[in-house]
Amino acid sequence: SQTIHQWPATLVQPVGSPLSLECTVEGTSNPNLYWYRQAAGRGLQLLFYSVGIGQISSEVPQNLSASRPQDRQFILSSKKLLLSDSGFYLCAWSVRTGSPREQFFGPGTRLTVL
Amino acid sequence: GQQVMQIPQYQHVQEGEDFTTYCNSSTTLSNIQWYKQRPGGHPVFLIQLVKSGEVKKQKRLTFQFGEAKKNSSLHITATQTTDVGTYFCAGHPSGGSNYKLTFGKGTLLTVNP
């Protein structure tokens, strides 16, 4: 069966510090991968998605970046965190073809920037 | 760009009462998906609707997809405390990207036992 891992589960970082969040998927090949941020208002904001190794699409201009060095690994990074980067970061995957193409979410990382 | 709106934002009910959340898209959708996020948890897929006018049921949950494929609803009959959480609708735009889901902001349901 497929599983998705995210770490760390919680993170407290000072403003201006770097960030690296990692997501890995097991049990599937060639998944579409996604990074979302969920702020206190509960909505899911799509940050990045990837349809293959090295292929990253950015949805929202910001000081975050994403990389996909391996088929089932997706990394979210920042060189300098801002207070507004606080939130709940969710990684998700979906199959690339077929239906339903539901998204499977990881457990998330709660980031607090102080 | 495509927008998906959900109402209400919040709904508080007494256990045993019914609950409905509505989802409206600014553009026609190829499909609509519904997710549930328990407090402190992550969104979990509930169901996908594809056909115009489609109705699907999961126990006490009834999902509808509008004839024009621009709106949807989720109805819960006789709510229970286990129904607490945020319900999101999400859709793929018709003729658009199959990769990106546009999520509504969700409806937070609380149930008073």
Side-chain angles (χ1 to χ4, degrees), chain B residues 30-41:
Chain B
S30 62
N31 60 65
I32 190 91
Q33 298 179 1
W34 285 91
Y35 293 78
K36 177 184 178 181
Q37 184 177 22
R38 294 181 185 276

Side-chain angles (χ1 to χ4, degrees), chain A residues 37-40 81-89 111-114:
Chain A
R37 177 169 60 203
Q38 187 174 36
L81 283 169
L82 306 173
L83 286 173
S84 58
D85 291 324
S86 293
F88 188 37
Y89 288 82
L111 172 66
T112 303
V113 182
L114 300 175

Side-chain angles (χ1 to χ4, degrees), chain A residues 38-99:
Chain A
Q38 187 174 36
R42 306 192 327 272
L44 289 167
Q45 180 186 34
L46 178 63
L47 301 175
F48 301 94
Y49 70 95
S50 171
V51 299
I53 296 174
Q55 300 179 61
I56 309 293
S57 295
S58 174
E59 288 296 298
V60 181
Q62 63 227 318
N63 68 323
L64 298 171
S65 62
S67 61
R68 185 171 178 173
Q70 300 178 41
D71 181 47
R72 290 169 289 178
Q73 184 184 28
F74 206 21
I75 297 172
L76 183 69
S77 304
S78 174
K79 293 182 179 178
K80 288 186 177 182
L81 283 169
L82 306 173
L83 286 173
S84 58
D85 291 324
S86 293
F88 188 37
Y89 288 82
L90 290 156
C91 180
W93 74 271
S94 71
V95 296
R96 193 166 294 179
T97 59
S99 181

Side-chain angles (χ1 to χ4, degrees), chain B residues 5-63:
Chain B
M5 293 147 285
Q6 268 186 268
I7 55 170
Q9 273 192 303
Y10 308 92
Q11 184 76 59
H12 178 75
V13 299
Q14 289 292 126
E15 190 171 20
E17 291 181 339
D18 292 356
F19 159 76
T20 304
T21 175
Y22 300 91
C23 180
N24 290 285
S25 171
S26 58
T27 59
T28 304
L29 301 170
S30 62
N31 60 65
I32 190 91
Q33 298 179 1
W34 285 91
Y35 293 78
K36 177 184 178 181
Q37 184 177 22
R38 294 181 185 276
H42 58 274
V44 175
F45 174 79
L46 294 176
I47 207 162
Q48 175 174 282
L49 304 170
V50 178
K51 299 176 182 177
S52 170
E54 188 171 13
V55 178
K56 286 188 176 180
K57 292 190 175 184
Q58 289 180 348
K59 298 183 180 178
R60 293 178 296 103
L61 277 62
T62 302
F63 304 84

Side-chain angles (χ1 to χ4, degrees), chain B residues 5-6 8 13 19 24 34 42 47-48 54 66 70 72 79 81 87 90 93 99-100 105 110-112:
Chain B
M5 293 147 285
Q6 268 186 268
V13 299
F19 159 76
N24 290 285
W34 285 91
H42 58 274
I47 207 162
Q48 175 174 282
E54 188 171 13
K70 294 181 72 174
S72 181
T79 55
T81 55
Y87 293 86
Y99 306 131
K100 298 190 308 179
K105 291 191 181 300
T110 55
V111 179
N112 198 29

Side-chain angles (χ1 to χ4, degrees), chain B residues 62-77:
Chain B
T62 302
F63 304 84
Q64 293 187 327
F65 199 12
E67 294 290 341
K69 301 184 75 172
K70 294 181 72 174
N71 56 71
S72 181
S73 65
L74 158 59
H75 180 81
I76 302 179
T77 303

